Amino acid sequence: MSFASLGLSAPILEAVAEQGYKTPSPIQAQAIPAVLKGQDVMAAAQTGTGKTAGFTLPILERLAKGERARANQARALVLTPTRELAAQVGDSVATYGKNLRLSSAVVYGGVKINPQMMRLRRGADILVATPGRLLDLHSQNAVRFKQLEVLVLDEADRMLDMGFIHDIRKILALLPKNRQNLLFSATFSNEIRSLAKGLVNNPVEISVSPRNTTAKTVKQWICPVDKKRKPALLTQLIIEKKWEQVLVFTRTKHGANRLTRYLDEEGIKAAAIHGNKSQNARTKALSDFKNGDTRILVATDIAARGLDIDQLPQVVNFDLPNVPEDYVHRIGRTGRAGSRGQAVSLVSADEFKQLSDIERLIKQLLPRQLMDGFEPVHDLPESRLNHRPAKPKKPKKPKPGHKDGQRAPKKVTEGTNKPRVRRSVKGLV
């Protein structure tokens, strides 16, 4: 099968060929014809499957034949949970639409709103946005949806996890009812299907990979170690195994900063990317990592969502995630497109529950390997595969001030569910 057989026109095919792609991925082969027919789509696809092109290519094809966007109007709206993913989708639109007379814009929080308002005065055939910033722009009459033809919810599961459901409902109420709807999610959870009931009409349902499975091209193993010795062990692995490009996940923003400082002091150039970093700092850190100026990128789950890094050889779980599905998302950034990858998890005794939840989810026991000189004092218990189904999660409620992946300062700490405890002179309140 070729891209030409999917019904795409010559200008788009030329742009695709310039990127070196010859045959569509499974998600593209199924989604593109459905979108071109004007059908609603529900697609389950992990990061790295080519899903972004799966909706940008047919949307470009459809919009190329219609009337251009008027001032402050958008013809297609793509909602994403994070700034990084919004920028990635924007790049895809620009890359594949380079030979078309279509305009696009990307808007997200964390940067000044005035330049975005000025840009939208010219209208945008394709508008990529995070929910909070889009509502801000609409409240200031900077964007309208009278011309809207297509709505895309990208990584809908992550948007629900981040508490965007109320923002999404507000946005849906602003849109014309006669539109095409495309919903992309890593999984079809009960929460996603509930959202889809009020969104898509008789959708084409596409699933390109079994639910919560990991790629066979990724070598997974864990290294038991005491928590305090994790930084030294990571340094040893990087030096001994001569790793040149490693994406490292920590559970918290503060943990990412501490680890980055430690690696820098050991002579290993590292950068952190998380919600407290400015957009410019995050963009620079990712750019330096991609071009090899930075050897190690330390990230939290929310900040890393949507990162697109070709041929990433190593992912390290410095901390195991509290949500087992996040393990699948993390290691899905390596071993893409048939290339080999490696996912290493540094696991301390107090993370045994997280490890058990992950192994139950992926239905396999992860092999263990002790490193000389780093044998743990606190032994990590032996795993047994637990086949009992996990209890379903309740959808999160949004926190006050929660917009575009940013939570209200000093109220919620990324990566922890512990409530803050206030003390008064009389004791606990």
Side-chain angles (χ1 to χ4, degrees), residues 46 158 187 211-212 305 321 323-330 358 361 393:
Q46 300 282 355
R158 179 57 61 168
T187 62
R211 181 176 178 177
N212 294 324
R305 190 69 169 192
V323 180
E325 287 84 359
D326 282 342
Y327 174 84
V328 178
H329 296 150
R330 287 179 178 188
I358 289 167
L361 180 75
K393 296 185 297 179

Side-chain angles (χ1 to χ4, degrees), residues 357-409:
D357 290 344
I358 289 167
E359 291 177 325
R360 175 172 58 188
L361 180 75
I362 65 175
K363 295 181 173 59
Q364 67 181 88
L365 294 178
L366 297 173
R368 304 183 180 199
Q369 181 179 334
L370 288 171
M371 293 294 293
D372 290 340
F374 291 92
E375 296 84 355
V377 174
H378 305 285
D379 289 335
L380 181 66
E382 288 297 321
S383 298
R384 290 189 300 174
L385 209 54
N386 186 348
H387 294 285
R388 288 180 298 176
K391 293 182 180 180
K393 296 185 297 179
K394 293 182 179 180
K396 292 183 180 179
K397 294 181 180 179
K399 302 293 182 179
H402 180 194
K403 282 187 178 180
D404 296 347
Q406 303 298 299
R407 298 190 183 274

Side-chain angles (χ1 to χ4, degrees), residues 92-348:
S92 177
V93 170
T95 297
Y96 298 124
K98 60 182 292 187
N99 301 322
L100 301 172
R101 293 180 58 195
L102 292 174
S103 62
S104 63
V106 182
V107 296
Y108 44 70
V111 296
K112 292 181 179 180
I113 196 171
N114 285 344
Q116 296 177 355
M117 294 176 68
M118 295 289 289
R119 167 61 191 87
L120 288 172
R121 287 183 182 179
R122 304 194 304 272
D125 292 301
I126 301 178
L127 176 61
V128 186
T130 50
R133 178 50 60 93
L134 184 69
L135 287 172
D136 289 342
L137 288 162
H138 183 269
S139 69
Q140 298 189 47
N141 296 317
V143 62
R144 288 289 177 265
F145 304 109
K146 189 175 180 180
Q147 277 189 277
L148 192 79
E149 302 173 39
V150 185
L151 169 67
V152 182
L153 288 188
D154 194 14
E155 302 215 356
D157 56 326
R158 179 57 61 168
M159 281 201 267
L160 295 188
D161 286 346
M162 292 171 66
F164 281 135
I165 183 62
H166 297 288
D167 284 350
I168 291 171
R169 285 175 177 157
K170 288 179 185 177
I171 292 168
L172 292 178
L174 301 172
L175 307 181
K177 292 183 179 179
N178 185 20
R179 65 177 190 267
Q180 183 178 19
N181 302 288
L182 313 176
L183 186 151
F184 288 78
S185 174
T187 62
F188 288 155
S189 65
N190 292 334
E191 293 81 11
I192 290 296
R193 291 193 178 277
S194 177
L195 172 64
K197 285 181 182 178
L199 177 66
V200 294
N201 301 308
N202 299 318
V204 174
E205 194 166 307
I206 300 168
S207 183
V208 297
S209 59
R211 181 176 178 177
N212 294 324
T213 58
T214 54
K216 293 180 180 179
T217 53
V218 180
K219 177 186 177 183
Q220 304 173 64
W221 58 282
I222 65 174
C223 190
V225 62
D226 290 328
K227 181 178 290 187
K228 291 183 179 180
R229 306 223 50 207
K230 284 188 178 184
L233 173 58
L234 177 60
T235 303
Q236 178 76 8
L237 287 169
I238 292 169
I239 295 172
E240 183 179 294
K241 297 184 179 296
K242 299 179 180 178
W243 289 344
E244 293 300 326
Q245 190 182 43
V246 189
L247 177 59
V248 180
F249 283 96
T250 61
R251 193 178 298 123
T252 68
K253 294 176 284 190
H254 300 301
N257 289 337
R258 283 196 303 269
L259 181 58
T260 300
R261 288 194 297 269
Y262 182 93
L263 293 171
D264 281 338
E265 290 169 0
E266 294 295 317
I268 299 172
K269 191 168 183 182
I273 181 170
H274 54 66
N276 280 359
K277 296 284 187 180
S278 70
Q279 184 59 35
N280 287 339
R282 293 161 78 166
T283 301
K284 185 178 187 306
L286 180 59
S287 175
D288 289 346
F289 182 65
K290 285 184 173 182
N291 63 32
D293 289 342
T294 296
R295 194 171 175 184
I296 314 297
L297 185 65
V298 185
T300 55
D301 287 297
I302 289 177
R305 190 69 169 192
L307 291 185
D308 187 21
I309 306 165
D310 293 333
Q311 306 298 321
L312 181 63
Q314 275 93 27
V315 169
V316 174
N317 293 299
F318 186 83
D319 301 313
L320 287 184
N322 287 326
V323 180
E325 287 84 359
D326 282 342
Y327 174 84
V328 178
H329 296 150
R330 287 179 178 188
I331 73 169
R333 289 172 172 80
T334 185
R336 294 184 178 184
S339 61
R340 305 298 298 180
Q342 183 173 205
V344 185
S345 300
L346 312 185
V347 186
S348 55

